[in-house]
């Protein structure tokens, strides 16, 4: 069966059809032929979205690390599994072979066991993008412990909330981390967090920046001496298909962050299969995803998906702007990167620098470019296509979520014709539906609605840790017998999907539904504009009106020009219609962003609505300082 690697557009349709008509047979074949099982399944799928309950490959036994490591040892033992590129370009990159990675994971797993971690225990990992992060994730999986990685940019409050929610017994961290020219005191943040976490018995500390840190006797241990003492053999714990693999927190529009729980077999099969096809991965490729392993993108497409395919996956410790804005391109040239996967926010930041940096480096190794995390605006798409891909590398605009575990709507490179700002077609096995406000499915093309998924796929999150009711309420209650994504989307005349943004960002002006993404696209076309975000605020006549927060490329010169305001509204009128014009346009020095680079529209909305007393906790933002400045200059 050759369904594992799709190379043509017609083939996509054939395989897609099969995956929809005979989903169990389809996934069974993929699972059968491309993975290592200790025991095969009794049943491929059982599901009920109304409960909700989904089980894939029930009865099967496996260990995901045997699939990511052991089975490659014979054929790819010396091949680089992880290519670590440090923050400081002067420091040498580290090539960790499959053999070395296997040994490091086994030793680490033995350290976990020695410190009392058993199958099913939760381990919180709060590490920078250094090899120990991937190693500790895999070490947990080796022994059946459930990892919960917390992005090492979150505050101590955010960390303690997550530790307590999943009742983690151990925290793995480092003395500190490098971020560009700065260092962060991670161990200090952990110490602060642990003042509120009684359940944590031990803390393992990796050395990275060689700073002086406080070590609490009987609780805190330096990692390296323990690893030096550890045995290098560690049998993989045999796991059931539906045993939890990890918990990863994602913030909801309200309330506590949600601990999305993913399980073993389905997650493995789906992330491996999507990785192979969405990036057209071939044996000698050097694949680089710039995300942090603290996000789902890193879990699925830095660690598990690539390693399950025996790929070389790059881990980059630094930031795109250090030592200068050429860093990404320097790395692409140096390691001859073949696939490059990043976020629109990064592309916009780099595009803001013009083409000087990108033109300095040889990017001819690149074959496939990817984006993820938010809608990519047309201008950024073209900049990426023209200057990075030189118009010859297809861009895969991949839509998915923490909850979905893997990529859901995406082009398949060299097969699906791409279209700027469109994630295009559902991946194999994915059955999207657009729903109207009355809960009816909207059929046909040239329509828009709320994006739902009608049928389970192998890597869907199985629950919210400790709160199944919330899982049901959030994802399975808005529409009967469907998974609701929370996003809006449109389907064009050929059936391509464009994600228009979170449905909670939709602004209704004079009874018209306006997604924020197309309006921001129009604004961003203006040559003076660097970035924009629009929100609704109450209006006497129209119900809602639009408030635009806009950063200009050259803030000093043009800040108060009413002309720019007029031109922007003209662009919106041209692209969408006068209905979408902005009532207020505030030029700002920056937009509040989450650590993953997403614009926090919720905060901007509160400011526009004069509800600054309800801003909530802004300390976990990437740039909390811009909030006050925006408030001070509010129109
Ligand atoms: C939300 C999920 C999936 C990894 C990173 C984000 C938005 C994601 C796209 C895209 C338009 C996108 C959606 C989605 N989103 N990818 N290609 N085009 N929007 O994971 O933090 O769980 O966020 O990100 O709104 O619901 P996440």
């Amino acid at each position: 069966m050759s369904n594992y690697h799709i190379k043509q557009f017609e083939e996509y349709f054939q395989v897609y059809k099969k995956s929809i008509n005979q989903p169990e047979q389809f996934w069974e074949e993929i699972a059968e032929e491309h993975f290592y099982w200790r025991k095969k399944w009794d049943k491929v799928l059982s599901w009920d979205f109304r409960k909700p309950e989904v089980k894939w490959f029930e009865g099967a036994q496996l260990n995901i690390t045997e699939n990511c490591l052991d089975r490659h040892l014979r054929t790819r033992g010396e091949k680089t599994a992880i290519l670590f590129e440090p923050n400081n370009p002067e420091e040498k990159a580290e090539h960790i072979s499959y053999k070395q990675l296997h040994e490091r994971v086994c030793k680490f797993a033995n350290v976990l066991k020695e410190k009392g971690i058993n199958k099913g225990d939760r381990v919180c990992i709060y590490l920078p993008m250094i090899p120990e992060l991937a190693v500790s994730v895999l070490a947990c999986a080796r022994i059946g412990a459930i990892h919960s990685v917390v992005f090492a940019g979150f505050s101590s409050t955010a960390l303690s909330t997550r530790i307590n929610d999943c009742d983690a017994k151990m925290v793995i961290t480092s003395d500190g981390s490098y971020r560009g020219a700065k260092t962060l005191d991670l161990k200090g943040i952990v110490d602060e967090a642990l003042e509120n976490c009684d359940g944590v018995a031990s803390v393992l500390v990796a050395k990275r920046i060689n700073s002086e840190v406080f070590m609490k006797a009987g609780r805190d241990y330096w990692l390296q001496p323990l690893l030096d003492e550890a045995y290098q053999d560690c049998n993989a714990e045999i796991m059931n298909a539906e045993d939890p693999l990890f918990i990863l927190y994602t913030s909801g529009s309200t309330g506590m962050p949600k601990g999305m729980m993913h399980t073993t077999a389905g997650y493995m099969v789906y992330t491996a299969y999507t990785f192979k096809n969405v990036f057209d991965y071939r044996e000698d490729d050097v694949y680089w995803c710039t995300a942090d392993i603290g996000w789902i993108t890193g879990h699925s497409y830095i660690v598990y998906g690539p390693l399950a395919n025996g790929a070389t996956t790059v881990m980059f410790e630094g930031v795109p702007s250090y030592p200068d804005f050429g860093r990404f391109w320097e790395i692409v040239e140096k390691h001859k990167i073949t696939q490059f996967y990043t976020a629109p926010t990064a592309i916009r930041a780099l595009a803001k620098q013009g083409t000087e940096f990108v033109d300095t480096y040889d990017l001819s190794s690149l074959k496939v470019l990817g984006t993820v995390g938010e809608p990519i605006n047309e201008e950024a798409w073209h900049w990426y296509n023209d200057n990075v891909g030189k118009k010859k590398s297809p861009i895969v605009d991949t839509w998915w979520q923490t909850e979905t575990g893997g990529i859901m709507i995406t082009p398949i490179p060299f097969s699906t014709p791409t279209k700027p700002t469109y994630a295009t077609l559902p991946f194999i096995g994915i059955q999207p539906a657009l729903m109207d406000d009355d809960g009816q499915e909207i059929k046909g093309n040239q329509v828009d609605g709320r994006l739902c998924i009608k049928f389970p796929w192998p890597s869907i999150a199985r629950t919210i840790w400790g709160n199944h009711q919330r899982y049901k309420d959030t994802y399975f209650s808005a529409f009967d017998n469907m998974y609701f994504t929370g996003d809006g989307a449109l389907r064009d005349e050929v059936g391509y999907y464009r994600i228009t943004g979170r449905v909670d960002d939709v602004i209704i002006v004079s009874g018209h539904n306006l997604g924020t993404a197309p309006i921001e696209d129009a604004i961003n076309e203006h040559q003076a504009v660097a970035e924009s975000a629009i929100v609704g605020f109450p209006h006497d006549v129209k119900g809602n009106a639009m408030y635009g927060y806009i950063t200009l490329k050259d803030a000093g010169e043009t800040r108060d020009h009413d002309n720019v305001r007029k031109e922007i509204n003209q662009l919106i009128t041209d692209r969408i219609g006068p209905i979408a014009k902005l009532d207020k346009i505030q030029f700002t020095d920056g937009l509040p962003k989450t650590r993953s680079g997403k614009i926090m529209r919720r905060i901007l909305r509160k400011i526009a609505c004069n509800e600054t007393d309800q801003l909530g906790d802004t300390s976990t933002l990437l740039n909390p300082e811009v909030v006050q400045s925006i408030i001070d200059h509010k129109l």
Side-chain angles (χ1 to χ4, degrees):
M1 280 300 304
S2 62
N3 287 347
Y4 195 66
H5 192 177
I6 296 155
K7 301 192 185 79
Q8 281 171 28
F9 203 31
E10 300 91 86
E11 199 185 349
Y12 160 78
F13 285 107
Q14 282 164 15
V15 178
Y16 181 74
K17 217 190 256 161
K18 176 167 179 196
S19 74
I20 301 311
N21 293 338
Q22 300 165 291
E24 301 186 22
Q25 198 186 321
F26 175 81
W27 287 112
E28 176 157 48
E29 278 169 19
I30 297 289
E32 183 108 47
E33 285 165 33
H34 301 280
F35 300 91
Y36 173 65
W37 304 91
R38 289 296 187 120
K39 174 180 173 290
K40 295 270 166 78
W41 42 91
D42 304 316
K43 193 165 192 287
V44 178
L45 170 66
S46 52
W47 69 289
D48 179 351
F49 273 174
R50 293 192 176 103
K51 268 185 174 169
E53 183 181 272
V54 178
K55 290 180 182 166
W56 283 91
F57 308 111
E58 228 183 323
Q61 294 188 325
L62 73 156
N63 186 289
I64 197 168
T65 70
E66 290 192 324
N67 283 274
C68 290
L69 302 170
D70 303 62
R71 67 164 164 155
H72 303 310
L73 293 179
R74 206 165 41 82
T75 47
R76 304 186 177 97
E78 304 307 319
K79 179 178 174 175
T80 301
I82 293 179
L83 203 176
F84 171 62
E85 172 67 28
N87 176 67
N88 180 353
E90 308 290 314
E91 194 182 323
K92 263 188 77 183
E94 188 183 347
H95 292 252
I96 304 169
S97 69
Y98 271 92
K99 206 165 143 243
Q100 291 166 329
L101 184 60
H102 178 260
E103 191 179 310
R104 285 173 71 163
V105 168
C106 287
K107 284 191 169 177
F108 205 127
N110 284 328
V111 170
L112 295 178
K113 285 202 271 194
E114 191 213 305
K115 287 286 165 240
I117 300 299
N118 297 308
K119 179 174 180 172
D121 287 344
R122 274 77 62 205
V123 173
C124 173
I125 302 174
Y126 186 72
L127 278 171
M129 279 288 282
I130 56 176
E132 285 78 1
L133 173 49
V135 172
S136 60
V137 160
L138 293 163
C140 287
R142 187 83 178 168
I143 64 167
I146 303 169
H147 56 78
S148 168
V149 183
V150 176
F151 173 64
F154 274 120
S155 66
S156 60
T157 322
L159 176 61
S160 63
T161 307
R162 286 160 175 77
I163 290 171
N164 288 333
D165 184 73
C166 69
D167 207 4
K169 255 172 117 170
M170 174 190 270
V171 177
I172 303 170
T173 190
S174 64
D175 51 355
S177 68
Y178 294 118
R179 257 192 100 68
K182 288 184 293 203
T183 56
L184 282 177
D185 173 22
L186 295 192
K187 179 61 167 59
I189 295 170
V190 169
D191 290 339
E192 227 174 276
L194 292 190
E195 283 171 22
N196 305 307
C197 305
D198 295 335
V200 173
S202 52
V203 178
L204 305 184
V205 188
K207 246 194 183 91
R208 177 56 183 144
I209 66 169
N210 291 309
S211 57
E212 287 276 321
V213 298
F214 164 75
M215 296 292 278
K216 185 168 170 180
R219 186 193 72 179
D220 302 350
Y221 304 90
W222 288 109
L223 181 61
Q224 196 55 50
L226 298 174
L227 289 171
D228 292 341
E229 298 280 292
Y231 286 119
Q232 77 174 59
D233 293 320
C234 175
N235 286 337
E237 188 75 31
I238 296 175
M239 306 297 287
N240 292 323
E242 285 296 336
D243 278 342
L245 176 63
F246 65 86
I247 299 165
L248 184 61
Y249 287 87
T250 182
S251 31
S253 34
T254 54
M256 276 271 303
K258 299 171 284 190
M260 303 315 306
M261 187 190 91
H262 284 278
T263 57
T264 307
Y267 176 82
M268 172 183 78
V269 168
Y270 194 77
T271 54
Y273 184 59
T274 44
F275 174 76
K276 175 78 180 166
N277 286 291
V278 173
F279 300 104
D280 187 43
Y281 168 71
R282 317 237 169 182
E283 185 64 39
D284 294 320
D285 288 346
V286 182
Y287 161 90
W288 180 21
C289 166
T290 69
D292 192 289
I293 293 174
W295 312 116
I296 191 71
T297 309
H299 282 60
S300 302
Y301 299 110
I302 296 178
V303 182
Y304 289 115
L307 296 178
N309 282 279
T312 297
T313 178
V314 174
M315 273 183 81
F316 175 46
E317 184 185 27
V319 295
S321 56
Y322 178 80
D324 61 39
F325 280 95
R327 188 69 195 277
F328 272 7
W329 319 127
E330 185 243 337
I331 296 172
V332 169
E333 177 183 293
K334 179 161 130 196
H335 297 304
K336 300 200 170 45
I337 302 294
T338 45
Q339 288 91 350
F340 178 73
Y341 190 29
T342 195
T345 185
I347 298 166
R348 287 194 295 268
L350 293 165
K352 214 171 146 182
Q353 305 299 315
T355 56
E356 179 199 329
F357 289 107
V358 71
D359 287 344
T360 309
Y361 297 94
D362 176 8
L363 308 182
S364 61
S365 56
L366 289 171
K367 296 194 298 189
V368 177
L369 304 178
T371 82
V372 61
E374 55 180 323
I376 180 163
N377 52 298
E378 197 144 356
E379 205 191 355
W381 194 97
H382 283 295
W383 188 88
Y384 199 29
N385 187 47
D386 296 354
N387 299 295
V388 183
K390 318 289 182 198
K391 297 193 170 136
K392 66 172 181 53
S393 299
I395 295 177
V396 289
D397 177 353
T398 63
W399 173 83
W400 57 297
Q401 311 177 295
T402 304
E403 295 85 338
T404 69
I407 293 168
M408 301 287 282
I409 301 183
T410 178
I412 291 184
F414 309 107
S415 297
T416 318
T418 58
K419 177 175 175 182
T421 75
Y422 281 75
T424 75
L425 295 170
F427 188 73
I428 306 303
I430 304 305
Q431 303 188 32
L434 296 179
M435 307 298 291
D436 70 18
D437 292 340
D438 303 325
Q440 299 302 310
E441 182 172 354
I442 310 165
K443 304 266 179 159
N445 289 340
Q446 284 190 294
V447 293
D448 65 275
R450 287 160 192 248
L451 179 61
C452 290
I453 313 289
K454 289 197 266 194
F455 193 85
W457 60 99
S459 65
I460 183 175
R462 304 300 197 255
T463 192
I464 292 174
W465 184 263
N467 198 343
H468 199 66
Q469 186 61 42
R470 187 175 179 200
Y471 180 65
K472 181 175 178 174
D473 294 344
T474 311
Y475 305 104
F476 298 93
S477 301
F479 301 96
D480 180 43
N481 208 17
M482 301 243 176
Y483 167 81
F484 174 46
T485 66
D487 283 320
L490 61 82
R491 194 158 53 218
D492 77 358
E493 61 289 350
V494 300
Y496 274 16
Y497 288 87
R498 175 182 179 161
I499 314 305
T500 45
R502 298 297 301 186
V503 183
D504 23 26
D505 287 333
V506 166
I507 306 167
I508 302 179
V509 180
S510 303
H512 296 267
N513 277 5
L514 297 169
T516 50
I519 303 173
E520 287 165 6
D521 263 4
I523 300 170
N524 295 347
E525 276 183 47
H526 193 286
Q527 51 163 11
V529 171
E531 220 170 15
S532 62
I534 53 173
V535 298
F537 71 98
H539 186 278
D540 284 355
V541 182
K542 305 190 231 177
N544 289 298
M546 306 271 215
Y547 196 115
Y549 297 91
I550 296 177
T551 58
L552 297 175
K553 284 178 183 153
D554 190 344
E557 261 182 48
T558 37
R559 171 177 288 270
D560 278 320
H561 275 195
D562 268 344
N563 265 345
V564 183
R565 288 196 175 87
K566 277 195 197 127
E567 287 161 11
I568 286 170
N569 266 329
Q570 189 55 47
L571 264 171
I572 297 174
T573 307
D574 291 346
R575 297 294 180 270
I576 297 134
I579 179 70
K581 279 208 300 202
L582 307 184
D583 281 47
K584 293 184 180 176
I585 296 179
Q586 178 179 350
F587 296 117
T588 70
D589 290 328
L591 300 171
K593 288 188 182 168
T594 63
R595 302 275 176 167
S596 58
K598 232 174 268 172
I599 297 169
M600 282 292 276
R601 290 192 173 69
R602 188 181 56 79
I603 289 174
L604 295 171
R605 203 176 297 129
K606 293 283 179 207
I607 298 173
C609 297
N610 290 321
E611 293 166 356
T612 42
D613 55 320
Q614 300 164 29
L615 285 185
D617 180 15
T618 56
S619 68
T620 58
L621 290 175
L622 188 66
N623 49 355
E625 73 283 355
V626 305
V627 174
Q628 192 54 49
S629 146
I630 292 173
I631 295 171
D632 292 341
H633 297 98
K634 158 138 204 312
L635 300 174

